Amino acid sequence: MAVKNYESIDSTNDITNTRTLLHEAIPLTGTIVSGTYGTFRSERNIKNYTHGQFQSVYDYPFLSSSANHIFDITLGYDESSPFSGSTSVQNSKKINMYNQFAQVLLGYTSSNSDGIRKFENDLTLDGNGYMKEVFFVSFSRLLVKDQIKKGTFSMTFQTGAFTTPSQITLSDRSASVNGDGTLNTDGGDYGVLYDSNILTSNNKGLGAIFYQAGIAVITASVFASGSIAKAANRHAPVDFNPAEPGYPRRSMTGSLTGSTISSSCDAFRRRLVNLSFNNTTEINSKIYFCRVPHNKFNYSSNPTYVSSSKIVVKNQSTDNPVSYITTVGLYNDSNQLVAVAKLSEPLKKDPTNDITLRVRLDY
Amino acid sequence: MAFLDNSGDIILDAVLTETGRKLLSSGGGIRISKFALGDDEINYGLFDKNHPSGSAYYDLEILQTPVFEAVSQINANINYGLLTFANKSIMYMPEFVQNTKDNAGGFAMPHQKLYYLAANEETAAALRAGIFNTNPQKLIVAGATNTAAVTYELGINSSEISKNSTTKSQYITNIGMTDNNFSVSVNGLFLDLVMALPSNGPSYKNDLTTNSLASYPSPANLVNAAERGKSKNRVNYRDFSAAAAQNEIFEPNGASTTASTFSVISGPGSSLVMLNFGIAAGLQHTKDGTRDRKYTQYGKVGQTAKQTFGDAVGSETYDFIDTTVYLSANTTGAQISIPVRIVRRAS
């Protein structure tokens, strides 16, 4: 009711749109996903499901309201993988997992018998360099926001024997924010994950990162043993899953065929050393230029503005009136207050100055 | 040559109000087309015109005022606002002053700082016979034109300016400070009607020779004010447009009494606003009728006279609801909030 004076905002000259990309660094240490909140395989920040199709990782024991879901892990292989077979544990679920991710992220092709495009270790999707046995890491939108920033993703794993481990770091170092080094598919843009230590041109990809979907695909050959084609410098064969009470020692090959998805995810977590990326938040803003002319808004209806009806900021009538702005209200044609902006400190307004306040409304 | 300080670049982040969010969610868009400025945090009393260090220090304390964050509630942001007047030499601005002079007839008087609005004639009869027996000026009956009405004078309440037609022209009329239209905002949960003076009604005027009232408005002149719809700035409130009487009370020439006999404004008056209200359906039920749930939900029920009026007069009990009516002048932005207690006899 109080507002009596409005100033028009010209829709042509006083409003502009901007787009800003904000990035946050997301560093995750391996300790948070393995061993910090309980003993291995029974950590309180790891949630397993009765359906056994994937495992969820939280940053704090998940029964706490403070816990945030950070990513899911699962494992899958293509039906044509040599490990696919009726004797493999959770065989159909592993195939389903692979197909589900492949359908959503890569789409379909008439080149394959089942119609589903397979993951490859390059950007060509030409039917060569299939990754048929893979781990999937699906990051929460809480971390990814709108997308992972291209060229910032890296994941370090422990490889080799547990007693004499070495490390491999996978990164999307060939991708850049302008889209170079990536390919757009049904699931958005993806880049190839390479071993950071190998710079030769014949370096083969060991995974893929889908930036908008926030999904990393890691070939099981990173932890190669047995018949899985190894990356160039992998220590092989290795124990993927060391012997523990209730869990037999298994190689990667053995884990694919003989372990449940959850058990393989446990082993995967234990191999994870570090993980980092920058996320991206896209902010679309509308900036309103609120132009306050010299001859307007120099008086106030604030009750303290007068004392015994006399304007308190004047000694004599020839003094300039003065007001102090603390708030900008944005209104629609119906005089409804739809947005409010506040100044950090009062801003003096008198007839000797005009002011342009840039008010940004983010969407 | 030093660089200019350009750190004063002002970019503000805005937040959507509840109204803005509702408009966005409804798919219509917010369609911002205008802006207004507020200064609610400012206490202009801190402006020190006598600061010993000079004029650069006059507003030092004001400029250090911490400013609150924006909030999404519509009535917590700009309750007042900055005003535009073309004339830079305005020195005085009109303000509302409660007029309780009873010699003009019908100017209501608050009791314990509240205006008591009787919900029905049964309650009014109890009050006439009881607590307001000696002062009927304190009794306002909802929707009535034969009992007192809330009355406010608008004008320049400064003894520095003489109260005559010349100063009225100089300080009000000629500089565009005349208020003929007013906004009255009432809580629609409790009040559904505003009664005000018509624009062509009698003026409030004294005879300058005898200092007697030459003409004056009374509650009998009240008419229903036009409703403008839901308040844009207050939840549950409804806005009404009201007119007022011209305030032409001036200092008499040579009479033994002064203009203060009729006017509470020290300087020239601008107008005189008189108001009564109609209460929402259900609140008017007599003691044998159904008590509206609003008395229980928003007010107090079964209160003694002591609890209701502050004085133990009579054995009746009452239900009441306290509400605030907002009155503002459309030209000068002068505002006043009026505390009203809706009272109903309960037993």
Side-chain angles (χ1 to χ4, degrees):
Chain A
M1 186 176 78
V3 174
K4 303 296 173 196
N5 287 105
Y6 300 100
E7 189 68 15
S8 296
I9 295 175
D10 185 284
S11 60
T12 305
N13 299 316
D14 295 341
I15 302 176
T16 186
N17 295 299
T18 64
R19 175 176 171 267
T20 310
L21 298 178
L22 296 181
H23 302 292
E24 296 171 301
I26 307 293
L28 288 172
T29 61
T31 53
I32 200 170
V33 300
S34 172
T36 294
Y37 296 108
T39 57
F40 179 57
R41 291 190 190 277
S42 57
E43 293 101 328
R44 296 188 302 280
N45 65 321
I46 307 300
K47 186 189 279 184
N48 286 297
Y49 301 89
T50 52
H51 55 65
Q53 295 181 108
F54 62 88
Q55 185 176 76
S56 295
V57 179
Y58 291 75
D59 64 353
Y60 198 67
F62 61 80
L63 290 177
S64 165
S65 59
S66 303
N68 295 302
H69 176 216
I70 52 178
F71 59 81
D72 296 321
I73 312 171
T74 188
L75 164 71
Y77 48 63
D78 182 52
E79 196 167 11
S80 64
S81 165
F83 307 100
S84 169
S86 59
T87 58
S88 294
V89 174
Q90 289 189 303
N91 182 57
S92 61
K93 287 187 176 178
K94 289 172 183 174
I95 293 171
N96 290 345
M97 277 290 108
Y98 187 94
N99 286 343
Q100 181 179 344
F101 278 93
Q103 285 168 335
V104 172
L105 298 176
L106 298 177
Y108 298 86
T109 176
S110 58
S111 303
N112 294 332
S113 57
D114 61 359
I116 300 171
R117 202 182 285 279
K118 314 298 179 193
F119 293 101
E120 295 182 15
N121 60 5
D122 54 30
L123 294 174
T124 60
L125 295 181
D126 58 359
N128 294 311
Y130 282 141
M131 296 189 293
K132 293 187 176 180
E133 304 84 17
V134 292
F135 286 95
F136 298 101
V137 182
S138 306
F139 295 98
S140 157
R141 275 192 65 84
L142 180 71
L143 300 188
V144 173
K145 299 291 175 63
D146 292 331
Q147 63 174 297
I148 292 169
K149 184 182 179 185
K150 297 180 177 76
T152 66
F153 187 86
S154 79
M155 229 173 167
T156 301
F157 296 100
Q158 183 197 65
T159 60
F162 277 92
T163 51
T164 56
S166 62
Q167 290 189 348
I168 180 173
T169 297
L170 306 183
S171 71
D172 62 339
R173 56 188 166 81
S174 65
S176 62
V177 288
N178 64 5
D180 290 347
T182 66
L183 182 71
N184 186 263
T185 66
D186 287 10
D189 298 337
Y190 84 91
V192 178
L193 296 176
Y194 294 103
D195 182 343
S196 294
N197 294 322
I198 302 176
L199 302 177
T200 55
S201 58
N202 61 355
N203 184 11
K204 296 295 184 186
L206 295 170
I209 174 70
F210 289 81
Y211 298 104
Q212 289 84 14
I215 295 173
V217 183
I218 314 293
T219 176
S221 68
V222 169
F223 314 100
S225 66
S227 62
I228 299 178
K230 300 189 297 293
N233 66 342
R234 299 277 50 74
H235 296 259
V238 297
D239 293 334
F240 181 59
N241 193 358
E244 293 169 278
Y247 295 92
R249 174 184 175 181
R250 293 193 193 280
S251 64
M252 185 70 254
T253 305
S255 192
L256 283 168
T257 55
S259 296
T260 61
I261 292 175
S262 294
S263 179
S264 296
C265 291
D266 285 338
F268 181 87
R269 285 190 293 109
R270 195 168 184 177
R271 290 287 187 172
L272 181 59
V273 177
N274 267 321
L275 161 62
S276 72
F277 61 86
N278 284 5
N279 69 19
T280 303
T281 305
E282 181 179 328
I283 296 178
N284 290 293
S285 305
K286 191 165 266 193
I287 297 177
Y288 298 89
F289 292 86
C290 299
R291 305 183 198 280
V292 190
H294 67 92
N295 58 347
K296 293 188 175 179
F297 296 109
N298 294 316
Y299 293 91
S300 174
S301 61
N302 186 318
T304 65
Y305 196 64
V306 293
S307 174
S308 297
S309 297
K310 190 173 184 179
I311 295 174
V312 298
V313 295
K314 283 186 163 197
N315 275 316
Q316 51 196 355
S317 62
T318 52
D319 288 347
N320 275 331
V322 180
S323 63
Y324 296 87
I325 306 166
T326 65
T327 310
V328 183
L330 301 177
Y331 296 80
N332 62 14
D333 282 336
S334 303
N335 294 345
Q336 290 175 305
L337 178 65
V338 294
V340 180
K342 302 288 285 195
L343 281 82
S344 59
E345 59 185 34
L347 182 64
K348 185 177 182 177
K349 176 72 185 71
D350 65 35
T352 66
N353 61 5
D354 58 21
I355 298 169
T356 298
L357 299 162
R358 284 191 280 171
V359 180
R360 183 174 58 203
L361 198 52
D362 295 333
Y363 295 93
Chain B
M1 185 183 295
F3 291 111
L4 286 172
D5 178 8
N6 67 351
S7 61
D9 196 13
I10 302 164
I11 301 177
L12 309 173
D13 284 328
V15 298
L16 289 172
T17 62
E18 292 167 352
T19 305
R21 291 178 194 173
K22 195 180 290 182
L23 288 171
L24 266 188
S25 67
S26 67
I30 53 177
R31 302 179 189 279
I32 290 168
S33 61
K34 61 185 89 169
F35 72 91
L37 303 175
D39 61 353
D40 283 17
E41 290 95 340
I42 301 297
N43 177 4
Y44 285 92
L46 297 175
F47 193 88
D48 183 1
K49 290 180 288 193
N50 301 311
H51 197 287
S53 300
S55 57
Y57 293 82
Y58 288 178
D59 60 2
L60 192 63
E61 282 200 66
I62 287 180
L63 291 173
Q64 291 173 343
T65 303
V67 179
F68 293 112
E69 286 185 320
V71 292
S72 58
Q73 197 180 346
I74 54 174
N75 60 347
N77 289 289
I78 303 181
N79 280 311
Y80 310 102
L82 299 192
L83 300 172
T84 296
F85 295 113
N87 192 327
K88 289 190 292 185
S89 60
I90 295 170
M91 188 69 188
Y92 298 89
M93 294 177 71
E95 58 184 315
F96 284 109
V97 182
Q98 188 178 64
N99 189 328
T100 59
K101 305 283 184 184
D102 64 351
N103 41 15
F107 293 6
M109 179 178 286
H111 175 76
Q112 307 278 18
K113 300 181 180 176
L114 290 170
Y115 283 105
Y116 279 81
L117 183 66
N120 52 42
E121 191 50 46
E122 178 186 64
T123 305
L127 299 183
R128 278 191 201 99
I131 182 75
F132 298 151
N133 182 33
T134 57
N135 197 342
Q137 230 186 316
K138 292 185 175 180
L139 176 62
I140 309 169
V141 179
T145 55
N146 58 356
T147 59
V150 174
T151 308
Y152 278 83
E153 267 190 275
L154 181 69
I156 294 174
N157 190 26
S158 170
S159 56
E160 295 175 356
I161 304 176
S162 304
K163 193 175 178 69
N164 56 51
S165 58
T166 305
T167 55
K168 179 170 180 174
S169 298
Q170 183 180 353
Y171 290 98
I172 296 176
T173 314
N174 293 350
I175 58 173
M177 304 288 275
T178 303
D179 279 296
N180 293 318
N181 298 300
F182 298 83
S183 294
V184 184
S185 195
V186 298
N187 191 328
L189 293 175
F190 316 126
L191 303 175
D192 62 2
L193 173 68
V194 172
M195 300 167 72
L197 294 171
S199 57
N200 56 356
S203 60
Y204 190 43
K205 184 175 184 177
N206 60 342
D207 183 306
L208 298 186
T209 304
T210 62
N211 196 31
S212 56
L213 283 177
S215 69
Y216 60 89
S218 74
N221 300 115
L222 292 175
V223 295
N224 292 353
E227 182 173 355
R228 294 208 314 259
K230 285 174 64 178
S231 169
K232 303 288 192 303
N233 294 335
R234 297 182 198 282
V235 178
N236 294 330
Y237 271 71
R238 306 194 71 79
D239 290 343
F240 292 78
S241 290
Q246 288 296 311
N247 189 340
E248 294 175 1
I249 300 289
F250 301 123
E251 284 300 341
N253 304 317
S256 59
T257 55
T258 65
S260 64
T261 306
F262 308 112
S263 174
V264 291
I265 297 280
S266 300
S270 173
S271 45
L272 182 125
V273 181
M274 185 175 276
L275 301 171
N276 196 346
F277 311 98
I279 59 174
L283 293 178
Q284 82 285 6
H285 290 167
T286 59
K287 64 182 172 61
D288 295 328
T290 305
R291 171 187 285 147
D292 194 286
R293 62 168 183 83
K294 290 176 186 169
Y295 284 109
T296 308
Q297 190 173 354
Y298 299 104
K300 291 190 174 180
V301 297
Q303 302 291 295
T304 64
K306 173 75 173 172
Q307 291 167 320
T308 308
F309 306 103
D311 293 313
V313 179
S315 58
E316 297 88 356
T317 61
Y318 298 90
D319 302 337
F320 65 82
I321 296 172
D322 290 340
T323 184
T324 302
V325 173
Y326 296 91
L327 169 66
S328 69
N330 286 359
T331 301
T332 61
Q335 293 181 65
I336 196 82
S337 56
I338 305 168
V340 174
R341 174 167 288 180
I342 301 166
V343 59
R344 163 191 178 261
R345 184 178 173 186
S347 70

